Amino acid sequence: MERSMGLKQRTTLYRDVVTILSRSHADRNVYPSAGVLFVHVLEREYFKGEFPPYPKSGDASNDPITFNTNLMGYPDRPGWLRYIQRTPHSDGVLYGSPTAEHVGKPTVIEITAYNRRTFETARHNLVINIMATEEFPLPYQAEFYIKNMNVEEMLASEVLGDFLGAVKNVWQPERLNAINITSALDRGGRVPLPINNLKEGVYVMVGADVPFSSCLREVESPHNQLRCSQEMEPVISCDKKFRAQFHIDWCKISLVDINKVVPVYITRPDPGTGILPEFGDYNPPSESLKSRDYFSDFLITLAVPSAVALVLFFILGYTMCCRREGVEKRNMQTPDIQLVHHSSIQKSTKELRSMSKNREISWPLSTLPVFNPVSGEVVPPIHPDNYETTSMPLMQTQTNLQNQITIPQQRPSGDNYVMSTFRRLEVNGIPEERKVAEALNL
């Protein structure tokens, strides 16, 4: 039984939801005038009755509700109509200034309300019938910039009425209408910081049937224009009549006399019938196309750059190779002592490099003994297997001086004796003999 009751309740609930989604309300008609500000408030209280009671516990009177507005059959609103809603707990506002082009043309606006707690929707249509007026347009129009107001605050009927009353007290016209209201953000303004209760600012345009008062024209004086150029507030005698509630930036006030404005007519082209003129039957190209020879294109693309590169290569090679002074000219201009010094250094470097490469193989020629001082035979150096040749210095040092041995050598008949003196050396614990001097013609 409990399950069947639950299914019945769910079925009833789903039926109610489907009914809400498909429910259409009677159209609501409004009749604004062309050239006069139109304001329509989308009240949350009006749409709360469209949603059925929610079965769960909660404060149904404070449900968040948002609105979506669009022209019937289109995704957005007309260009002259704007919409604003700050939070889901505040009312939405449609506002704008219709023009004479929309007179006699009913504008149907679809308004869809979304309940953000129950996810239900309600929809109805707003039919805007724009009426023509004899006063449109008013010849004298003034636009004020109010710094301490947001657009939704200025659209309230009480606030807008207070502002029009202050303007009428200063201007004193017979007919005075609010023409348009625009947020400063739509004019390129910046979003204010959330400090010190800063506001976005709003532009309010009003129109009257009499010329501007002397108070409003004070901003056009050279003194006030100079103060505005220096980012200083101008001195306006009637500012105190607005200061109590509205902070007006007098440097941004705009005064327009329509009688002195030269109209600009833009000639639009005739749209025509939308049918292209007759150009005859389509004649496609033949299937047998002539072949094209690309050899000339190949020559121009590759041969010409290659020839230019080859000429540049020969010029560079001639400059670098054939225009050099050469080694002979350099040697002729260099002193002989410098050449000898350089040659000796180069030979010593080559010898050191060759010795460093052959150190493990054999000893340098300068360290080998000439012959045995006793027998006169050439004796190669003999080292043990465990002798480290890498520790042998390139230039042997004399560490142990032994007795000198003098050996006479006999030359052929008729020649003098040659005495050779040898010094017995011992380097790194290995006995060596080295010839140190020769005496000729003793």
Side-chain angles (χ1 to χ4, degrees), residues 193-247:
L193 296 175
I195 57 176
N196 299 331
N197 198 21
L198 296 177
K199 304 294 184 178
E200 297 174 356
V202 61
Y203 289 89
V204 181
M205 178 177 288
V206 297
D209 57 345
V210 297
F212 304 109
S213 63
S214 58
C215 175
L216 297 178
R217 289 194 175 278
E218 288 180 0
V219 71
E220 297 178 350
S221 63
H223 176 68
N224 286 330
Q225 291 294 323
L226 178 61
R227 293 178 65 88
C228 289
S229 62
Q230 297 175 354
E231 298 184 357
M232 300 173 62
E233 293 186 2
V235 180
I236 306 297
S237 60
C238 57
D239 180 56
K240 58 184 178 181
K241 298 182 179 180
F242 298 90
R243 183 63 64 177
Q245 189 177 359
F246 307 100
H247 296 172

Side-chain angles (χ1 to χ4, degrees), residues 8-135:
K8 290 181 179 179
Q9 291 178 357
R10 292 180 182 178
T11 305
T12 305
L13 177 60
Y14 291 155
R15 287 178 180 175
D16 293 338
V17 172
V18 173
T19 303
I20 291 171
L21 291 175
S22 61
R23 182 182 301 171
S24 60
H25 304 271
D27 295 344
R28 187 174 182 180
N29 291 268
V30 291
Y31 299 91
S33 300
V36 181
L37 179 65
F38 165 72
V39 179
H40 180 75
V41 180
L42 305 180
E43 299 178 355
R44 297 173 62 253
E45 296 295 335
Y46 174 79
F47 287 91
K48 285 179 182 178
E50 306 295 334
F51 302 118
Y54 193 61
K56 294 184 179 180
S57 60
D59 187 8
S61 62
N62 197 27
D63 287 349
I65 298 175
T66 59
F67 301 95
N68 183 30
T69 60
N70 62 281
L71 182 64
M72 179 175 286
Y74 295 89
D76 203 354
R77 298 174 299 276
W80 63 270
L81 189 62
R82 299 187 182 93
Y83 167 75
I84 186 171
Q85 183 185 16
R86 286 291 176 179
T87 63
H89 298 280
S90 61
D91 296 335
V93 181
L94 285 169
Y95 67 100
S97 179
T99 61
E101 298 178 356
H102 303 90
V103 174
K105 300 178 181 178
T107 303
V108 182
I109 303 297
E110 294 181 343
I111 301 175
T112 306
Y114 296 90
N115 190 323
R116 296 300 181 181
R117 185 171 73 93
T118 62
F119 301 101
E120 296 176 346
T121 62
R123 178 178 298 174
H124 75 83
N125 298 331
L126 177 67
V127 181
I128 303 176
N129 302 282
I130 302 173
M131 308 298 292
T133 57
E134 298 178 356
E135 303 174 356

Side-chain angles (χ1 to χ4, degrees), residues 46 79 108 189 304 320 346 380 408 424:
Y46 174 79
V108 182
V304 174
M320 297 183 65
Q346 190 175 11
R424 186 178 182 84

Side-chain angles (χ1 to χ4, degrees), residues 139-163:
Y140 302 96
Q141 299 178 2
E143 187 177 53
F144 299 86
Y145 175 61
I146 304 174
K147 298 184 290 185
N148 65 329
M149 287 286 175
N150 289 333
V151 62
E152 71 275 6
E153 299 174 350
M154 196 66 196
L155 289 172
S157 58
E158 299 83 2
V159 179
L160 184 59
D162 294 342
F163 178 76

